[in-house]
Amino acid sequence: MRYDVVVVGGGPAGTVAAEDLARAGRKVAFLDRAGRIKPCGGAIPPRLIEDFDIPDSQIVAKISTARMISPTQRAVDIPIENGFVGMVDREHFDEFLRLRAKDAGAERFTGTFLRIERDESGPSVIYRDKETREERRLETTLIIGADGARSDVARAEVPGGDTIPYVIAYHEIIKAPGKIGTYDPMRCDVIYDGTISPDFYGWVFPHGASASVGMGTGVDGVDLKKATADLRVASGLDGCETIRKEGAPIPLKPLDKWDNGKDVVLAGDAAGVVAPSSGEGIYYAMVGGRVAATAAQAALVSGRAKDLALARKLFMKEHKTVFRVLRSMQDAYYKSDERRERFVSLCHDVDVQRLTFEAYMNKKLVKARPMAHIKIGLKNLAHLTRLVPETYA
């Protein structure tokens, strides 16, 4: 049997790509490595819920407030106006997406990707079947690599795929209590503290009956488990039962090229599409899967391999500016605790709060209030040049 497209990876990017192509009438297979749950805070914005038709049954908590915590334990609560941030449990959310792709007509295979082989008839995905441990072959016309930040497909097929920068994320899923210590089941806490992460941040995110407590860093030698344990103690969650522990890389920069110019295109973490500064990945992974499917469909219709480049073009057309702003923010404020302290101080500003969450909820920079943008720019400059004292509030 020959497929139009084989998708390597059964996470949000791969399942969206497989579902979209199946619904377009293409013969699609996707390969999922069962048993792996990505460490993830699990936050999804309303735009994702709307764009990808996520049922309320998948939302395990609806968050109304975000708290930013500085190195000196200064806390700034930012209310989420006119909406909420949805929380999902990746163990169940990813399986929901896989089942939906299968119901749409995509064929699901379970195993470990090994390599891509080519002959006169085209490429084949070679994988090791989970049950039989035998090597199997999926013959296809095109391949979508959606196999994560350390993508084997990207490393083998796409320039730069073997050198993508990343941070390591680690978290512990715990049985969540009600309000205890500083923990609030209706609030997401983001901790900007060099003792937890010297270059990124820590988090405490409620998931209804459970919670995700973790951190990320790109600095060698940091003890991720100790930092997470310290974070649990500080939040009053050290006595809670641990359900599972997970770690994985999070890419820091979209690749300059997402396809190999002939039969492979990347999606999601494999393409490096995690938002700088925030580390948000679910929404951008799903968008990445959608544009990869769009590019694959265009290439199948036209017969032109160059149409695979549409995936990156479509994604960057909508999201490049947001990524650039977030990268500038991370470069400016994550360098030291003194900078992190100033960043949390800046978050006191009502204009910053409103524009930040408008951008997060709608996934675009808001242009409706130009004076607010000017004010934020001036305040940001004042903080970076130390014209504003650290005690600013």
Side-chain angles (χ1 to χ4, degrees):
M1 184 178 295
R2 187 170 193 85
Y3 296 92
D4 295 317
V5 182
V6 169
V7 182
V8 179
T15 52
V16 166
E19 181 186 353
D20 282 4
L21 286 163
R23 293 193 186 282
R26 293 297 177 180
K27 189 156 189 61
V28 185
F30 69 97
L31 176 64
D32 171 47
R33 189 178 72 184
R36 178 182 180 276
I37 307 168
K38 183 182 176 182
C40 175
I44 61 172
R47 183 170 173 184
L48 183 154
I49 296 170
E50 179 179 353
D51 287 359
F52 296 96
D53 193 24
I54 304 303
D56 199 59
S57 60
Q58 287 299 313
I59 310 301
V60 296
K62 296 181 178 180
I63 300 303
S64 58
T65 305
R67 171 170 287 184
M68 309 298 181
I69 302 172
S70 79
T72 61
Q73 301 307 300
R74 177 188 307 177
V76 177
D77 285 355
I78 304 177
I80 301 168
E81 298 178 352
N82 305 316
F84 62 89
V85 173
M87 306 302 293
V88 297
D89 186 325
R90 291 293 297 272
E91 179 181 11
H92 304 295
F93 181 69
D94 287 19
E95 182 62 12
F96 160 78
L97 295 175
R98 288 189 282 267
L99 291 173
R100 190 164 73 173
K102 185 174 182 291
D103 290 343
E107 293 190 51
R108 178 178 180 177
F109 295 87
T110 305
T112 303
F113 170 81
L114 297 176
R115 61 189 179 276
I116 294 171
E117 293 183 354
R118 295 179 176 86
D119 57 25
E120 63 278 359
S121 65
S124 294
V125 169
I126 312 300
Y127 73 100
R128 190 177 305 282
D129 184 86
K130 177 178 172 59
E131 297 298 327
T132 67
R133 306 307 298 164
E134 296 175 348
E135 286 194 12
R136 299 277 179 88
R137 176 183 298 267
L138 300 173
E139 296 181 353
T140 186
T141 300
L142 298 175
I143 297 164
I144 294 176
D147 52 333
R150 288 174 173 163
S151 165
D152 290 326
V153 175
R155 285 204 297 266
E157 297 288 336
V158 177
D162 58 344
T163 59
I164 185 168
Y166 57 84
V167 299
I168 297 295
Y170 172 81
H171 79 160
E172 298 177 359
I173 297 293
I174 63 172
K175 283 191 176 180
K179 281 190 176 184
I180 185 174
T182 62
Y183 177 76
D184 185 335
M186 293 301 294
R187 189 187 70 227
C188 283
D189 290 357
V190 184
I191 298 90
Y192 298 98
D193 184 345
T195 63
I196 299 298
S197 172
D199 60 327
F200 208 55
Y201 62 82
W203 67 82
V204 179
F205 285 1
H207 287 176
S210 63
S212 166
V213 184
M215 51 79 71
T217 181
V219 176
D220 290 338
V222 174
D223 189 333
L224 284 76
K225 292 183 178 180
K226 181 181 183 304
T228 301
D230 292 343
L231 189 52
R232 287 180 63 168
V233 169
S235 303
L237 300 172
D238 51 315
C240 297
E241 179 184 342
T242 301
I243 299 171
R244 62 180 189 265
K245 303 176 181 181
E246 298 151 354
I250 298 177
L252 292 177
K253 183 178 182 295
L255 290 174
D256 293 332
K257 190 173 176 61
W258 293 6
D259 67 280
N260 68 350
K262 51 185 178 181
D263 52 20
V264 173
V265 63
L266 304 177
D269 282 11
V273 290
V274 171
S277 180
S278 69
E280 182 191 0
I282 302 176
Y283 172 78
Y284 293 111
M286 295 176 77
V287 171
R290 178 149 289 171
V291 296
T294 300
Q297 175 76 335
L300 289 168
V301 170
S302 70
R304 298 190 302 259
K306 68 178 184 180
D307 285 345
L308 294 175
L310 282 172
R312 191 179 192 280
K313 290 178 182 177
L314 290 170
F315 185 94
M316 289 300 177
K317 181 179 180 181
E318 182 168 2
H319 301 292
K320 179 173 68 175
T321 300
V322 170
F323 270 51
R324 186 170 62 242
V325 170
L326 291 175
R327 166 56 57 191
S328 297
M329 183 185 301
Q330 182 171 335
D331 290 344
Y333 284 111
Y334 288 18
K335 292 180 181 296
S336 68
D337 273 356
E338 190 267 341
R339 289 286 185 95
R340 283 184 274 268
E341 195 72 40
R342 290 179 179 276
F343 174 68
V344 174
S345 290
L346 187 63
C347 291
H348 276 283
D349 189 274
V350 174
D351 287 320
V352 172
Q353 295 179 11
R354 287 177 177 169
L355 288 178
T356 296
F357 272 97
E358 285 173 6
Y360 172 78
M361 305 286 258
N362 300 303
K363 287 292 165 268
K364 58 185 176 182
L365 296 179
V366 182
K367 299 179 180 178
R369 303 211 309 272
M371 287 308 298
H373 283 284
I374 293 171
K375 286 168 61 181
I376 290 171
L378 291 173
K379 292 171 183 175
N380 185 52
L381 181 63
H383 275 276
L384 290 175
T385 56
R386 297 181 174 84
L387 292 176
V388 176
E390 287 188 30
T391 54
Y392 167 82

